[in-house]
Amino acid sequence: MRRAALAGAAVAFATAVLAACGSSGDGPATAGGTPSGPAASAPAVPAPAVPGPAVTGPSGAPVGDPAGGPDDAETPDLPKVPADEITPATGTFSKPQKEYLTDRVPRGMDPAAVLQTGQETCDRLRYLVKADRDIAVAAVVTGEVADAEPAVAHLCPRHQDLVDEAALGYPDGTHTDAALRPGRYRAPSPTKDCAWRLTGAKGKELAAGSSDTGRPVSLTVPASATAFTSTGCYAWLPEGATR
């Protein structure tokens, strides 16, 4: 229960600080100590809610940040500005910033606003890691910190370990066949309605369980599993992952 409450408090704190102070990002700095990238000359793209019901902890507080990332900048069917035409209204973009923006800026949109959303993703991860590393990884697993992979790769590579571990985890839902990786997993911040089920060939039940304590739980995915279903457990992280 304390971990789930901590998750909600951590995200609430991060959101409040970001709203009050704006995004600082982890981008390169100039010799004078100020960010080399330009400030957004237009408001950041509003972050839509992640589809589906919000995940809450045992206390009823949200677990993770339900707001996603810059989906307008990610819409694949909108024509994008070619890389050689991406320029800020003032100043210059650093090489990592321009790499992040490549194929991500719809025509007519201020690229600095798109960049800001990536920097905000890095800020969310930074604050969550300070509060609880497992919660930070789980938020990437579930997509509640949206578009973490490209933001981390280009704007805050120091958080690459979070993305790498998250790639081996599972959010609530049903995962089958090739998506399954045998091993030991833990749910660090389940709700009090956490339940899971592992099945094998022809739907044979291999293991099942539930927890109403809100405390971390663990399970083993055997090599014979063909489906893994989880509800109310938020996210499962691989045990023994490199930290």
Side-chain angles (χ1 to χ4, degrees):
M1 180 181 295
R2 291 183 59 191
R3 295 176 68 85
L6 176 61
V11 175
F13 174 71
T15 302
V17 173
L18 289 174
C21 302
S23 173
S24 61
D26 288 320
T30 63
T34 57
S36 61
S41 58
V45 180
V50 173
V55 179
T56 58
S59 65
V63 177
D65 184 356
D71 285 314
D72 283 352
E74 296 300 309
T75 306
D77 56 352
L78 293 178
K80 302 298 192 298
V81 177
D84 58 357
E85 295 180 17
I86 297 176
T87 55
T90 60
T92 59
F93 289 129
S94 67
K95 182 178 178 181
Q97 290 170 339
K98 196 157 187 177
E99 289 174 347
Y100 171 77
L101 291 170
T102 299
D103 296 324
R104 302 174 72 84
V105 183
R107 286 197 176 276
M109 180 175 288
D110 181 359
V114 178
L115 176 62
Q116 182 174 322
T117 58
Q119 291 171 331
E120 288 173 350
T121 293
C122 289
D123 284 341
R124 289 191 182 100
L125 289 175
R126 178 161 53 91
Y127 281 109
L128 288 173
V129 166
K130 286 182 179 179
D132 189 305
R133 185 185 182 280
D134 281 348
I135 295 299
V137 177
V140 177
V141 170
T142 63
E144 293 197 38
V145 173
D147 302 310
E149 184 174 355
V152 167
H154 300 296
L155 304 178
C156 49
R158 63 179 178 175
H159 294 316
Q160 187 61 50
D161 62 316
L162 305 180
V163 173
D164 291 345
E165 184 175 341
L168 301 176
Y170 298 100
D172 275 337
T174 297
H175 311 277
T176 60
D177 300 321
L180 293 178
R181 293 173 295 275
R184 189 75 175 166
Y185 294 84
R186 70 190 184 284
S189 55
T191 72
K192 288 187 175 181
D193 297 311
C194 175
W196 63 91
R197 184 170 182 259
L198 288 158
T199 56
K202 299 181 179 180
K204 179 183 179 181
E205 183 175 288
L206 302 178
S210 63
S211 175
D212 60 2
T213 67
R215 292 193 293 270
V217 293
S218 298
L219 60 77
T220 297
V221 176
S224 58
T226 59
F228 169 39
T229 299
S230 166
T231 59
C233 303
Y234 185 49
W236 297 87
L237 311 184
E239 288 191 348
T242 301
R243 290 172 175 263

PDB file of all heavy atoms in Angstrom, residues 208-243:
ATOM      1  N   ALA A 208      -2.138 -19.841 -10.980  1.00  0.00           N
ATOM      2  CA  ALA A 208      -3.045 -18.708 -10.846  1.00  0.00           C
ATOM      3  C   ALA A 208      -2.916 -18.185  -9.428  1.00  0.00           C
ATOM      4  O   ALA A 208      -2.518 -18.904  -8.508  1.00  0.00           O
ATOM      5  CB  ALA A 208      -4.489 -19.114 -11.136  1.00  0.00           C
ATOM      6  N   GLY A 209      -3.240 -16.923  -9.251  1.00  0.00           N
ATOM      7  CA  GLY A 209      -3.151 -16.354  -7.923  1.00  0.00           C
ATOM      8  C   GLY A 209      -3.781 -14.981  -7.869  1.00  0.00           C
ATOM      9  O   GLY A 209      -4.183 -14.421  -8.885  1.00  0.00           O
ATOM     10  N   SER A 210      -3.886 -14.462  -6.679  1.00  0.00           N
ATOM     11  CA  SER A 210      -4.439 -13.127  -6.476  1.00  0.00           C
ATOM     12  C   SER A 210      -3.861 -12.552  -5.194  1.00  0.00           C
ATOM     13  O   SER A 210      -3.290 -13.275  -4.370  1.00  0.00           O
ATOM     14  CB  SER A 210      -5.966 -13.174  -6.394  1.00  0.00           C
ATOM     15  OG  SER A 210      -6.387 -13.949  -5.274  1.00  0.00           O
ATOM     16  N   SER A 211      -4.009 -11.261  -5.036  1.00  0.00           N
ATOM     17  CA  SER A 211      -3.533 -10.589  -3.836  1.00  0.00           C
ATOM     18  C   SER A 211      -4.430  -9.403  -3.538  1.00  0.00           C
ATOM     19  O   SER A 211      -4.756  -8.627  -4.440  1.00  0.00           O
ATOM     20  CB  SER A 211      -2.085 -10.122  -4.025  1.00  0.00           C
ATOM     21  OG  SER A 211      -1.650  -9.363  -2.910  1.00  0.00           O
ATOM     22  N   ASP A 212      -4.836  -9.288  -2.290  1.00  0.00           N
ATOM     23  CA  ASP A 212      -5.669  -8.152  -1.895  1.00  0.00           C
ATOM     24  C   ASP A 212      -4.972  -7.307  -0.839  1.00  0.00           C
ATOM     25  O   ASP A 212      -5.597  -6.543  -0.104  1.00  0.00           O
ATOM     26  CB  ASP A 212      -7.025  -8.628  -1.362  1.00  0.00           C
ATOM     27  CG  ASP A 212      -6.896  -9.539  -0.133  1.00  0.00           C
ATOM     28  OD1 ASP A 212      -5.757  -9.769   0.315  1.00  0.00           O
ATOM     29  OD2 ASP A 212      -7.940 -10.014   0.348  1.00  0.00           O
ATOM     30  N   THR A 213      -3.642  -7.426  -0.772  1.00  0.00           N
ATOM     31  CA  THR A 213      -2.891  -6.699   0.253  1.00  0.00           C
ATOM     32  C   THR A 213      -2.314  -5.380  -0.244  1.00  0.00           C
ATOM     33  O   THR A 213      -1.993  -4.506   0.551  1.00  0.00           O
ATOM     34  CB  THR A 213      -1.733  -7.553   0.774  1.00  0.00           C
ATOM     35  OG1 THR A 213      -0.771  -7.746  -0.276  1.00  0.00           O
ATOM     36  CG2 THR A 213      -2.222  -8.910   1.257  1.00  0.00           C
ATOM     37  N   GLY A 214      -2.144  -5.258  -1.559  1.00  0.00           N
ATOM     38  CA  GLY A 214      -1.486  -4.069  -2.093  1.00  0.00           C
ATOM     39  C   GLY A 214       0.020  -4.112  -1.963  1.00  0.00           C
ATOM     40  O   GLY A 214       0.705  -3.172  -2.372  1.00  0.00           O
ATOM     41  N   ARG A 215       0.546  -5.201  -1.416  1.00  0.00           N
ATOM     42  CA  ARG A 215       1.994  -5.337  -1.270  1.00  0.00           C
ATOM     43  C   ARG A 215       2.576  -6.045  -2.503  1.00  0.00           C
ATOM     44  O   ARG A 215       1.871  -6.766  -3.207  1.00  0.00           O
ATOM     45  CB  ARG A 215       2.327  -6.114  -0.002  1.00  0.00           C
ATOM     46  CG  ARG A 215       1.994  -5.352   1.281  1.00  0.00           C
ATOM     47  CD  ARG A 215       2.620  -6.021   2.492  1.00  0.00           C
ATOM     48  NE  ARG A 215       2.038  -7.324   2.780  1.00  0.00           N
ATOM     49  CZ  ARG A 215       0.992  -7.511   3.588  1.00  0.00           C
ATOM     50  NH1 ARG A 215       0.414  -6.474   4.166  1.00  0.00           N
ATOM     51  NH2 ARG A 215       0.527  -8.729   3.804  1.00  0.00           N
ATOM     52  N   PRO A 216       3.871  -5.873  -2.759  1.00  0.00           N
ATOM     53  CA  PRO A 216       4.502  -6.507  -3.919  1.00  0.00           C
ATOM     54  C   PRO A 216       4.293  -8.017  -3.935  1.00  0.00           C
ATOM     55  O   PRO A 216       4.291  -8.664  -2.889  1.00  0.00           O
ATOM     56  CB  PRO A 216       5.987  -6.155  -3.754  1.00  0.00           C
ATOM     57  CG  PRO A 216       5.980  -4.883  -2.976  1.00  0.00           C
ATOM     58  CD  PRO A 216       4.828  -5.013  -2.019  1.00  0.00           C
ATOM     59  N   VAL A 217       4.102  -8.564  -5.132  1.00  0.00           N
ATOM     60  CA  VAL A 217       3.926 -10.001  -5.301  1.00  0.00           C
ATOM     61  C   VAL A 217       4.838 -10.485  -6.427  1.00  0.00           C
ATOM     62  O   VAL A 217       5.271  -9.693  -7.267  1.00  0.00           O
ATOM     63  CB  VAL A 217       2.457 -10.374  -5.618  1.00  0.00           C
ATOM     64  CG1 VAL A 217       1.567 -10.091  -4.424  1.00  0.00           C
ATOM     65  CG2 VAL A 217       1.952  -9.597  -6.833  1.00  0.00           C
ATOM     66  N   SER A 218       5.129 -11.775  -6.439  1.00  0.00           N
ATOM     67  CA  SER A 218       6.010 -12.346  -7.456  1.00  0.00           C
ATOM     68  C   SER A 218       5.397 -13.606  -8.049  1.00  0.00           C
ATOM     69  O   SER A 218       4.524 -14.243  -7.440  1.00  0.00           O
ATOM     70  CB  SER A 218       7.378 -12.695  -6.851  1.00  0.00           C
ATOM     71  OG  SER A 218       8.038 -11.558  -6.363  1.00  0.00           O
ATOM     72  N   LEU A 219       5.844 -13.962  -9.237  1.00  0.00           N
ATOM     73  CA  LEU A 219       5.426 -15.202  -9.883  1.00  0.00           C
ATOM     74  C   LEU A 219       6.517 -15.653 -10.829  1.00  0.00           C
ATOM     75  O   LEU A 219       7.420 -14.889 -11.173  1.00  0.00           O
ATOM     76  CB  LEU A 219       4.095 -15.021 -10.631  1.00  0.00           C
ATOM     77  CG  LEU A 219       4.001 -13.998 -11.767  1.00  0.00           C
ATOM     78  CD1 LEU A 219       4.629 -14.482 -13.066  1.00  0.00           C
ATOM     79  CD2 LEU A 219       2.548 -13.654 -12.038  1.00  0.00           C
ATOM     80  N   THR A 220       6.416 -16.911 -11.256  1.00  0.00           N
ATOM     81  CA  THR A 220       7.354 -17.460 -12.230  1.00  0.00           C
ATOM     82  C   THR A 220       6.607 -17.838 -13.501  1.00  0.00           C
ATOM     83  O   THR A 220       5.597 -18.549 -13.452  1.00  0.00           O
ATOM     84  CB  THR A 220       8.058 -18.720 -11.681  1.00  0.00           C
ATOM     85  OG1 THR A 220       8.834 -18.355 -10.530  1.00  0.00           O
ATOM     86  CG2 THR A 220       8.985 -19.327 -12.729  1.00  0.00           C
ATOM     87  N   VAL A 221       7.078 -17.350 -14.627  1.00  0.00           N
ATOM     88  CA  VAL A 221       6.525 -17.724 -15.930  1.00  0.00           C
ATOM     89  C   VAL A 221       7.337 -18.917 -16.439  1.00  0.00           C
ATOM     90  O   VAL A 221       8.530 -18.769 -16.746  1.00  0.00           O
ATOM     91  CB  VAL A 221       6.601 -16.561 -16.934  1.00  0.00           C
ATOM     92  CG1 VAL A 221       6.113 -17.014 -18.316  1.00  0.00           C
ATOM     93  CG2 VAL A 221       5.786 -15.367 -16.450  1.00  0.00           C
ATOM     94  N   PRO A 222       6.752 -20.118 -16.508  1.00  0.00           N
ATOM     95  CA  PRO A 222       7.506 -21.297 -16.965  1.00  0.00           C
ATOM     96  C   PRO A 222       7.667 -21.313 -18.484  1.00  0.00           C
ATOM     97  O   PRO A 222       6.932 -20.624 -19.211  1.00  0.00           O
ATOM     98  CB  PRO A 222       6.627 -22.460 -16.498  1.00  0.00           C
ATOM     99  CG  PRO A 222       5.240 -21.903 -16.515  1.00  0.00           C
ATOM    100  CD  PRO A 222       5.369 -20.459 -16.108  1.00  0.00           C
ATOM    101  N   ALA A 223       8.606 -22.086 -18.939  1.00  0.00           N
ATOM    102  CA  ALA A 223       8.848 -22.184 -20.381  1.00  0.00           C
ATOM    103  C   ALA A 223       7.649 -22.778 -21.111  1.00  0.00           C
ATOM    104  O   ALA A 223       7.460 -22.543 -22.317  1.00  0.00           O
ATOM    105  CB  ALA A 223      10.090 -23.032 -20.640  1.00  0.00           C
ATOM    106  N   SER A 224       6.814 -23.538 -20.420  1.00  0.00           N
ATOM    107  CA  SER A 224       5.656 -24.166 -21.049  1.00  0.00           C
ATOM    108  C   SER A 224       4.440 -23.242 -21.158  1.00  0.00           C
ATOM    109  O   SER A 224       3.431 -23.615 -21.758  1.00  0.00           O
ATOM    110  CB  SER A 224       5.249 -25.418 -20.251  1.00  0.00           C
ATOM    111  OG  SER A 224       4.962 -25.080 -18.894  1.00  0.00           O
ATOM    112  N   ALA A 225       4.527 -22.031 -20.615  1.00  0.00           N
ATOM    113  CA  ALA A 225       3.382 -21.114 -20.656  1.00  0.00           C
ATOM    114  C   ALA A 225       3.136 -20.607 -22.070  1.00  0.00           C
ATOM    115  O   ALA A 225       4.077 -20.293 -22.818  1.00  0.00           O
ATOM    116  CB  ALA A 225       3.626 -19.939 -19.720  1.00  0.00           C
ATOM    117  N   THR A 226       1.860 -20.555 -22.441  1.00  0.00           N
ATOM    118  CA  THR A 226       1.485 -19.995 -23.746  1.00  0.00           C
ATOM    119  C   THR A 226       0.653 -18.729 -23.599  1.00  0.00           C
ATOM    120  O   THR A 226       0.439 -18.018 -24.578  1.00  0.00           O
ATOM    121  CB  THR A 226       0.684 -21.015 -24.568  1.00  0.00           C
ATOM    122  OG1 THR A 226      -0.495 -21.387 -23.851  1.00  0.00           O
ATOM    123  CG2 THR A 226       1.527 -22.245 -24.864  1.00  0.00           C
ATOM    124  N   ALA A 227       0.195 -18.430 -22.375  1.00  0.00           N
ATOM    125  CA  ALA A 227      -0.571 -17.211 -22.145  1.00  0.00           C
ATOM    126  C   ALA A 227      -0.424 -16.788 -20.686  1.00  0.00           C
ATOM    127  O   ALA A 227      -0.366 -17.613 -19.778  1.00  0.00           O
ATOM    128  CB  ALA A 227      -2.045 -17.415 -22.480  1.00  0.00           C
ATOM    129  N   PHE A 228      -0.352 -15.482 -20.497  1.00  0.00           N
ATOM    130  CA  PHE A 228      -0.238 -14.889 -19.160  1.00  0.00           C
ATOM    131  C   PHE A 228      -1.232 -13.733 -19.102  1.00  0.00           C
ATOM    132  O   PHE A 228      -1.157 -12.803 -19.890  1.00  0.00           O
ATOM    133  CB  PHE A 228       1.195 -14.398 -18.935  1.00  0.00           C
ATOM    134  CG  PHE A 228       1.375 -13.546 -17.701  1.00  0.00           C
ATOM    135  CD1 PHE A 228       0.726 -13.831 -16.517  1.00  0.00           C
ATOM    136  CD2 PHE A 228       2.228 -12.439 -17.751  1.00  0.00           C
ATOM    137  CE1 PHE A 228       0.906 -13.038 -15.388  1.00  0.00           C
ATOM    138  CE2 PHE A 228       2.422 -11.647 -16.631  1.00  0.00           C
ATOM    139  CZ  PHE A 228       1.758 -11.942 -15.450  1.00  0.00           C
ATOM    140  N   THR A 229      -2.171 -13.815 -18.157  1.00  0.00           N
ATOM    141  CA  THR A 229      -3.184 -12.774 -18.000  1.00  0.00           C
ATOM    142  C   THR A 229      -3.071 -12.153 -16.616  1.00  0.00           C
ATOM    143  O   THR A 229      -2.946 -12.856 -15.613  1.00  0.00           O
ATOM    144  CB  THR A 229      -4.599 -13.350 -18.184  1.00  0.00           C
ATOM    145  OG1 THR A 229      -4.715 -13.883 -19.504  1.00  0.00           O
ATOM    146  CG2 THR A 229      -5.656 -12.260 -18.006  1.00  0.00           C
ATOM    147  N   SER A 230      -3.096 -10.834 -16.586  1.00  0.00           N
ATOM    148  CA  SER A 230      -2.976 -10.109 -15.326  1.00  0.00           C
ATOM    149  C   SER A 230      -3.994  -8.975 -15.291  1.00  0.00           C
ATOM    150  O   SER A 230      -4.206  -8.286 -16.290  1.00  0.00           O
ATOM    151  CB  SER A 230      -1.554  -9.530 -15.204  1.00  0.00           C
ATOM    152  OG  SER A 230      -1.462  -8.558 -14.177  1.00  0.00           O
ATOM    153  N   THR A 231      -4.636  -8.797 -14.146  1.00  0.00           N
ATOM    154  CA  THR A 231      -5.556  -7.666 -13.950  1.00  0.00           C
ATOM    155  C   THR A 231      -5.301  -7.062 -12.578  1.00  0.00           C
ATOM    156  O   THR A 231      -5.082  -7.785 -11.604  1.00  0.00           O
ATOM    157  CB  THR A 231      -7.029  -8.116 -14.036  1.00  0.00           C
ATOM    158  OG1 THR A 231      -7.295  -9.108 -13.029  1.00  0.00           O
ATOM    159  CG2 THR A 231      -7.363  -8.681 -15.406  1.00  0.00           C
ATOM    160  N   GLY A 232      -5.319  -5.756 -12.502  1.00  0.00           N
ATOM    161  CA  GLY A 232      -5.169  -5.068 -11.228  1.00  0.00           C
ATOM    162  C   GLY A 232      -3.786  -5.136 -10.618  1.00  0.00           C
ATOM    163  O   GLY A 232      -3.584  -4.713  -9.478  1.00  0.00           O
ATOM    164  N   CYS A 233      -2.811  -5.658 -11.353  1.00  0.00           N
ATOM    165  CA  CYS A 233      -1.450  -5.784 -10.814  1.00  0.00           C
ATOM    166  C   CYS A 233      -0.540  -4.665 -11.311  1.00  0.00           C
ATOM    167  O   CYS A 233       0.597  -4.544 -10.875  1.00  0.00           O
ATOM    168  CB  CYS A 233      -0.855  -7.137 -11.175  1.00  0.00           C
ATOM    169  SG  CYS A 233      -1.845  -8.544 -10.594  1.00  0.00           S
ATOM    170  N   TYR A 234      -1.024  -3.877 -12.247  1.00  0.00           N
ATOM    171  CA  TYR A 234      -0.350  -2.695 -12.796  1.00  0.00           C
ATOM    172  C   TYR A 234       0.778  -3.083 -13.743  1.00  0.00           C
ATOM    173  O   TYR A 234       0.658  -2.916 -14.949  1.00  0.00           O
ATOM    174  CB  TYR A 234       0.151  -1.785 -11.671  1.00  0.00           C
ATOM    175  CG  TYR A 234       0.755  -0.491 -12.147  1.00  0.00           C
ATOM    176  CD1 TYR A 234       0.103   0.324 -13.074  1.00  0.00           C
ATOM    177  CD2 TYR A 234       1.989  -0.056 -11.659  1.00  0.00           C
ATOM    178  CE1 TYR A 234       0.659   1.525 -13.503  1.00  0.00           C
ATOM    179  CE2 TYR A 234       2.547   1.147 -12.079  1.00  0.00           C
ATOM    180  CZ  TYR A 234       1.882   1.930 -12.995  1.00  0.00           C
ATOM    181  OH  TYR A 234       2.422   3.114 -13.404  1.00  0.00           O
ATOM    182  N   ALA A 235       1.868  -3.602 -13.222  1.00  0.00           N
ATOM    183  CA  ALA A 235       2.992  -3.980 -14.097  1.00  0.00           C
ATOM    184  C   ALA A 235       3.855  -5.015 -13.408  1.00  0.00           C
ATOM    185  O   ALA A 235       4.015  -5.010 -12.191  1.00  0.00           O
ATOM    186  CB  ALA A 235       3.836  -2.747 -14.447  1.00  0.00           C
ATOM    187  N   TRP A 236       4.388  -5.913 -14.230  1.00  0.00           N
ATOM    188  CA  TRP A 236       5.308  -6.953 -13.748  1.00  0.00           C
ATOM    189  C   TRP A 236       6.704  -6.652 -14.281  1.00  0.00           C
ATOM    190  O   TRP A 236       6.901  -6.469 -15.488  1.00  0.00           O
ATOM    191  CB  TRP A 236       4.857  -8.329 -14.219  1.00  0.00           C
ATOM    192  CG  TRP A 236       3.511  -8.740 -13.672  1.00  0.00           C
ATOM    193  CD1 TRP A 236       2.288  -8.470 -14.207  1.00  0.00           C
ATOM    194  CD2 TRP A 236       3.286  -9.484 -12.472  1.00  0.00           C
ATOM    195  NE1 TRP A 236       1.305  -8.994 -13.421  1.00  0.00           N
ATOM    196  CE2 TRP A 236       1.867  -9.631 -12.334  1.00  0.00           C
ATOM    197  CE3 TRP A 236       4.104 -10.046 -11.494  1.00  0.00           C
ATOM    198  CZ2 TRP A 236       1.274 -10.309 -11.282  1.00  0.00           C
ATOM    199  CZ3 TRP A 236       3.521 -10.720 -10.437  1.00  0.00           C
ATOM    200  CH2 TRP A 236       2.127 -10.856 -10.337  1.00  0.00           C
ATOM    201  N   LEU A 237       7.694  -6.631 -13.390  1.00  0.00           N
ATOM    202  CA  LEU A 237       9.062  -6.330 -13.772  1.00  0.00           C
ATOM    203  C   LEU A 237       9.925  -7.578 -13.600  1.00  0.00           C
ATOM    204  O   LEU A 237       9.698  -8.379 -12.700  1.00  0.00           O
ATOM    205  CB  LEU A 237       9.648  -5.215 -12.900  1.00  0.00           C
ATOM    206  CG  LEU A 237       8.787  -3.953 -12.737  1.00  0.00           C
ATOM    207  CD1 LEU A 237       9.570  -2.912 -11.927  1.00  0.00           C
ATOM    208  CD2 LEU A 237       8.363  -3.385 -14.071  1.00  0.00           C
ATOM    209  N   PRO A 238      10.920  -7.766 -14.456  1.00  0.00           N
ATOM    210  CA  PRO A 238      11.759  -8.955 -14.333  1.00  0.00           C
ATOM    211  C   PRO A 238      12.641  -8.890 -13.095  1.00  0.00           C
ATOM    212  O   PRO A 238      13.260  -7.858 -12.803  1.00  0.00           O
ATOM    213  CB  PRO A 238      12.620  -8.907 -15.609  1.00  0.00           C
ATOM    214  CG  PRO A 238      12.664  -7.444 -15.968  1.00  0.00           C
ATOM    215  CD  PRO A 238      11.321  -6.897 -15.562  1.00  0.00           C
ATOM    216  N   GLU A 239      12.679  -9.952 -12.319  1.00  0.00           N
ATOM    217  CA  GLU A 239      13.550  -9.997 -11.150  1.00  0.00           C
ATOM    218  C   GLU A 239      14.969 -10.315 -11.609  1.00  0.00           C
ATOM    219  O   GLU A 239      15.178 -11.050 -12.575  1.00  0.00           O
ATOM    220  CB  GLU A 239      13.065 -11.052 -10.151  1.00  0.00           C
ATOM    221  CG  GLU A 239      11.793 -10.651  -9.438  1.00  0.00           C
ATOM    222  CD  GLU A 239      11.469 -11.566  -8.261  1.00  0.00           C
ATOM    223  OE1 GLU A 239      12.101 -12.628  -8.151  1.00  0.00           O
ATOM    224  OE2 GLU A 239      10.587 -11.208  -7.466  1.00  0.00           O
ATOM    225  N   GLY A 240      15.916  -9.735 -10.929  1.00  0.00           N
ATOM    226  CA  GLY A 240      17.304  -9.983 -11.288  1.00  0.00           C
ATOM    227  C   GLY A 240      17.785  -9.140 -12.443  1.00  0.00           C
ATOM    228  O   GLY A 240      18.882  -9.376 -12.966  1.00  0.00           O
ATOM    229  N   ALA A 241      16.986  -8.138 -12.847  1.00  0.00           N
ATOM    230  CA  ALA A 241      17.419  -7.264 -13.941  1.00  0.00           C
ATOM    231  C   ALA A 241      18.611  -6.419 -13.490  1.00  0.00           C
ATOM    232  O   ALA A 241      18.741  -6.079 -12.314  1.00  0.00           O
ATOM    233  CB  ALA A 241      16.273  -6.353 -14.379  1.00  0.00           C
ATOM    234  N   THR A 242      19.468  -6.089 -14.440  1.00  0.00           N
ATOM    235  CA  THR A 242      20.648  -5.274 -14.133  1.00  0.00           C
ATOM    236  C   THR A 242      20.204  -3.896 -13.680  1.00  0.00           C
ATOM    237  O   THR A 242      19.362  -3.263 -14.305  1.00  0.00           O
ATOM    238  CB  THR A 242      21.554  -5.129 -15.365  1.00  0.00           C
ATOM    239  OG1 THR A 242      21.940  -6.430 -15.780  1.00  0.00           O
ATOM    240  CG2 THR A 242      22.764  -4.297 -15.040  1.00  0.00           C
ATOM    241  N   ARG A 243      20.755  -3.416 -12.594  1.00  0.00           N
ATOM    242  CA  ARG A 243      20.395  -2.105 -12.049  1.00  0.00           C
ATOM    243  C   ARG A 243      21.598  -1.171 -12.085  1.00  0.00           C
ATOM    244  O   ARG A 243      22.702  -1.590 -12.062  1.00  0.00           O
ATOM    245  CB  ARG A 243      19.894  -2.248 -10.608  1.00  0.00           C
ATOM    246  CG  ARG A 243      18.547  -2.939 -10.540  1.00  0.00           C
ATOM    247  CD  ARG A 243      18.195  -3.236  -9.094  1.00  0.00           C
ATOM    248  NE  ARG A 243      16.859  -3.793  -9.027  1.00  0.00           N
ATOM    249  CZ  ARG A 243      15.781  -3.077  -8.754  1.00  0.00           C
ATOM    250  NH1 ARG A 243      15.872  -1.794  -8.534  1.00  0.00           N
ATOM    251  NH2 ARG A 243      14.601  -3.645  -8.695  1.00  0.00           N
TER     252      ARG A 243
END
